[in-house]
Structures are given as C-alpha cells and as structure tokens.
Amino acid sequence: MKQQKSIIIIICLFLGIVIGWMIRGGGEDHPDGEHTHMGENGIEYTCSMHPQIRQNEPGQCPICGMALIPLGSKKGKESGPYVLEMTPEAVALSNVQTSLAKQDTGTGKLVLSGKIQSDEQRTKSLTANFAGRVDHLYVNFTGQEVKKGEKLATLYSPELVNVQKELLETAKIKDRQPALYQAAKEKLRLWKISEEQIASIESSGNVQTQFDIFSDISGVVMARNVSVGDFVNRGTPLFELVDLSNVWVMLDAYESDLGAVKKGDELSFQVSAYPGKEFKAKVTYIDPVLNPDTRTVGIRAEAVNRNGELKPEMFVSAAISVSQAGQSGLMIPKTALLWTGPRSVVYVQKGSKEAPAFEMREIETGARVGEDYLVISGLEEGEQVVSNGVFAIDAAAQLSGNYSMMTRPDVKTLEVPEEFKTQLTALIKSYLLIKDALVETDVKATQEAANPAKSSLTQVDMKLLDSKAHESWMGLMKPIQSSLDKIAQINDVEEQRKHFETLSDNLIEAVEIFGISGDSFYKHYCPMAFRDEGAVWLSLEEEVRNPYFGEKMLTCGEIQKTYRSE
C-alpha cells in the first residue's frame, strides 16, 4: 500500500515538471528586456505621490488618479544633484515651456474673477398711483422685455370715477369758481393722470372707469407682483423692471492687488458663453471695506451691454493692465515659481534640445506685478526658466534622487559660538507661544505671547558674532522685531497671521544660517495658506497644528525639514 502511494507521488511530480517545462516554452531563454517596464522609447512613467507605481506608458495613478509623469533619464550624475537630465520625449510629454528672465518696467496684467450683475441705478419698481382692481395684465411672465410707454396693465378705480365726476361738475362753473376747477384737475395730476387724459375726459364729458398703467423705462420684467382680479392700494408694487442696456461687472481683488487698481482703469473681460470674444468696461467703484470672510475687496466696473449678450450672474474673467511705479527690474512669470517662502525655487534650462537638462535654483523674489514677479537675486538676465511643467520636473527630480523643492540641501553657511545658538534657540521657544495662540485663534493670547519673544530677542547678543555673521543677523533681526511689534499691537487675528508668516520666514532663515542648540525643531509647511501661496512655521512636535487656519483646518500641512543641533 505504501509503495502504491509513493509511485503516485512520483508520477505527480514528474507530470508537474513536464507541464511547467511546456508552459515556459520548452526552456528557451528569454531576454531580460521582456520583463522591464520601460517603453520602446526608454521612458518610464510614475506617480509623483506614489513613486512605487511604474509603467511603460502614460496614464493615471491607480491609487490617487493623478496623471503619471515621465521619469528623467539619468546619465551618471555628472551634472550634479541640482541638475535633472531628461530625454526630449519626456520634456515633450510633460509639456515643458520656458520663459525669458528679462528686465521690465513693471507692467503686466492683473487677472480677476467675478460675475455680471444688473445696474442697481437702472432698476425701478413700478407702483400703483391710485387704488383699484386689476382688470387686465399685458405682462404675463417675468423676463418679458418691454419698451418705454408700453401698456402693462389696466385698473378699475372707484376713486378715480368720483374725481372725474368732480372734474366735470367744476368744469361747468370754472368761470365763476376757477379754484375748484383747478383743485379737481390737481387731484388727477397727483395720481399721475396725464394732461392728455384729463383733456379727453373734459372734452368728451364721459367718466372713464378704467385707466391704463404704462412703463416709464425700457427693460426686462424681473418680477410681477399682481394677478388679474387683485385689488391694490396706492403705492403697491406692481412690477420690478431693470434696464440691461448697461450692466455691472463685479470683481474680487485681494489686498495685495489693490495697489494696482484705481477708479477709471480700463479692463477687458471674457465670459464662457462667447469664447474668444472680449468685452470692455471701466472701473467706477472700489469698495472701501474689506470682506472679513474672503479677505477681498469688491471692484465694480460698468460695461455697455450691446444686443443683450451679457446676462446677470454670468461668471467673468477680467484682465486689468497695471503699471506699478518703482517696480522695474528682472521679471519672471509667476507660473515659474515653486513658492517656498522668502526664497523660492525655479528651474533654469540647461543643456541642448537634444539633451535637455534643468537646474534647480533658489531665488529671492520681490513684489508681484500683474502676472509676473520681481527677482531680487538668484537669476541673471537672459536665462530661460521653466514656466509650464515646473511641477512635473520637480516631481521627476525628487523621484530621481536629485535635489527638489521638498528635498533641498541644508543652507547653513556660518559658524557661530554655541552661546549664540543657545540664545537663538530660546528665542524660538518664545516664538512657539505665539504659534500656539494662533492655533487657538486667540487674538489677546497672541498679543500677550509676543512680549516674551520680544524679551528673548533682546537677550540675543550680536556682539558674539564676527563681522559677516553680525551683518546677517542684523538683516534678520529688524524684520523679526517689526513683526513682533505688529503682532503685539494688532487686534485682528488674520493680520497677526500675516506678520507671523514674516516672523517665521526670518526665524527659519536664522536657524538655517546659524543653527540651533539642544532640541530639534520641525519646519511645517501648509500649501493652502494665503490663497494657496503657502506658508511655513516652526514646531517642537511632529504633529501638525496649523497656526494659519486654526480649527478650520487644524491638521493641514506637512513636515518639510527637521533641524537638529550639531
């Protein structure tokens, strides 16, 4: 019995080996290339959020749905970790475009969004001038267009019947009692009965029982408030009319854009209903009060509505040509920037068309001018910066192990005494009290927390530094002092957060230049702060507690860098 079982097991193993040999194609060797995920053009695609996803053709990430990006081709890293080398095919698939860094006078276009609204000055409520019953309606629905002088309704009014009888009676004795005659006519005039209608009544000698209501403007009926058979009193609203021959273009501008807009500016705008067609308008009003919820200011422009093409509630995209005095210099498009604080990242074109390469460069930016940014340092005139596809290049650099926006090298450049680093660390710990108060969105606590930080700042002894380090600290100390003073004075939490951002930027720069002592600190980054421009802050904990949004988005953010004492 045991022998039979052994024979059966041996036969099964033999059959398994034969079947496996047949499936593998008779044992022929397969080249390694059949198992690779590379496409025929040598490009491999991956997801910037999930780098474990790799495939040989474009598509979407099966995890998050983001479009896959092509990986750059590595060529031995001879260009260093700052330069990403790519194939021409990868550049084309990433739709990479470049723009020239050039000297400009500070002119550009400010793009604002908004919608069309009816002109409130051209809206009229048509009311009944006398009491009566609605016998006929000639306007049956809202949205109906009417012309000036067009008949809208007919009313029967017992009061008017009596006044007409009085007119006819006083007309018989107007030679003897002219005052009574004029008083009867004046009653009719007060009820908006025209001189022609009064003369017709008097000449015919007949009393009219019905009177017509006429429109005194041309426009569109926005509301019909009565129906046939309704009894109305004097002053009852019958119709709401609006003249749409001119409309308002209501736009929202952020605080940072207000310096570029003034009354009388001409603007052009587009609506999605008419692609490629531009309309003109002129700025006539700027709201004197900032909206506390959106942190925007309303801007109103007036436009002529030829042929009624512009409809109220249409969304618009408007462009205003701006020119800011004193803002001339080296300019690059805002789309070229990967915003990381005072120092932003751009990618500068290197190499050639056949062997494209892009160098990551940290630059210092100044004011925004329209759709451009002023470059203070880090770029030279004539260099080409990537203005489209910059996120794809940065993600490819990160996945390839190069430096990127998220994996920049340490920039500590100066050696300073340990005592100075200890004093700087104490200042940062005081700063954390401000951060915690802003997390709670507590204005008063934030003001009070600024005082210990101001005291810690005075304890930082700049005499410990040599000339170069002393100069660097002086450049940072002034904005730190200013930010602390503003935070202590301001009663608006959103304004406090703005100055906290400046304070954080300068303290982070101080940490990166001089270093810290003792504890480790985490640099947190929120990409949604300040209209998606992003902002950073320091924390002792890895857990994200966002000081720019508080409870609204408490955990919005991520760790960008960890600072440890040497």
Side-chain angles (χ1 to χ4, degrees), residues 127-366:
T127 60
N129 296 316
F130 46 82
R133 184 186 67 233
V134 180
D135 280 356
H136 297 285
L137 276 179
Y138 303 100
V139 173
N140 299 312
F141 58 88
T142 58
Q144 185 173 339
E145 292 188 15
V146 298
K147 302 294 183 182
K148 184 176 182 179
E150 185 175 336
K151 189 188 299 184
L152 302 180
T154 299
L155 270 63
Y156 165 74
S157 175
E159 291 182 359
L160 275 176
V161 171
N162 294 331
V163 175
Q164 289 176 83
K165 290 179 179 179
E166 184 180 338
L167 173 66
L168 294 176
E169 291 299 323
T170 56
K172 298 175 182 178
I173 58 173
K174 62 181 179 181
D175 294 334
R176 287 176 291 146
Q177 298 288 340
L180 291 176
Y181 172 67
Q182 292 297 330
K185 292 180 70 174
E186 188 62 26
K187 284 183 181 180
L188 291 171
R189 292 192 190 101
L190 291 173
W191 283 341
K192 303 297 183 183
I193 305 301
S194 67
E195 293 292 340
E196 291 78 7
Q197 289 174 307
I198 295 172
S200 175
I201 294 169
E202 192 174 347
S203 61
S204 67
N206 297 321
V207 175
Q208 296 183 24
T209 58
Q210 294 180 322
F211 281 84
D212 295 326
I213 305 297
F214 298 94
S215 175
D216 49 8
I217 65 168
S218 296
V220 176
V221 178
M222 302 301 291
R224 179 176 64 86
N225 301 319
V226 292
S227 301
V228 174
D230 287 351
F231 190 88
V232 297
N233 294 314
R234 185 179 183 183
T236 300
L238 303 177
F239 306 98
E240 299 289 337
L241 301 177
V242 59
D243 179 5
L244 294 177
S245 60
N246 278 59
V247 292
W248 284 352
V249 183
M250 304 300 295
L251 305 170
D252 292 321
Y254 290 106
E255 294 176 71
S256 58
D257 299 329
L258 286 180
V261 185
K262 62 181 183 298
K263 290 182 182 178
D265 281 350
E266 300 282 348
L267 62 85
S268 60
F269 65 94
Q270 294 183 332
V271 295
S272 57
Y274 311 104
K277 185 172 183 178
E278 282 198 349
F279 299 87
K280 301 294 183 182
K282 179 180 286 188
V283 176
T284 57
Y285 178 78
I286 299 175
D287 199 328
V289 180
L290 187 76
N291 186 317
D293 296 323
T294 62
R295 308 302 301 172
T296 60
V297 171
I299 293 177
R300 185 177 76 209
E302 294 185 10
V304 177
N305 188 14
R306 296 182 178 86
N307 304 319
E309 295 175 314
L310 301 173
K311 315 293 185 186
E313 300 303 319
M314 276 184 168
F315 288 108
V316 305
S317 177
I320 303 177
S321 295
V322 297
S323 178
Q324 295 183 353
Q327 298 299 338
S328 61
L330 193 63
M331 298 282 181
I332 60 171
K334 72 173 185 179
T335 55
L337 287 173
L338 292 175
W339 192 261
T340 59
R343 288 187 168 85
S344 299
V345 169
V346 296
Y347 279 88
V348 181
Q349 185 181 43
K350 299 291 182 180
S352 62
K353 186 176 181 180
E354 293 74 21
F358 304 94
E359 179 189 358
M360 191 200 84
R361 187 89 59 82
E362 285 193 355
I363 66 170
E364 187 176 359
T365 57

Side-chain angles (χ1 to χ4, degrees), residues 411-413 507-515 523 561 563:
V411 296
K412 182 176 179 297
T413 56
L507 280 177
I508 288 172
E509 187 168 2
V511 170
E512 293 185 337
I513 292 175
F514 305 114
K523 177 184 175 182
K561 189 180 289 188
Y563 301 108

Side-chain angles (χ1 to χ4, degrees), residues 546-564:
N546 194 312
Y548 296 108
F549 288 107
E551 288 295 331
K552 292 181 180 179
M553 287 191 288
L554 185 61
T555 59
C556 176
E558 60 187 4
I559 295 176
Q560 270 196 344
K561 189 180 289 188
T562 301
Y563 301 108
R564 296 182 175 88

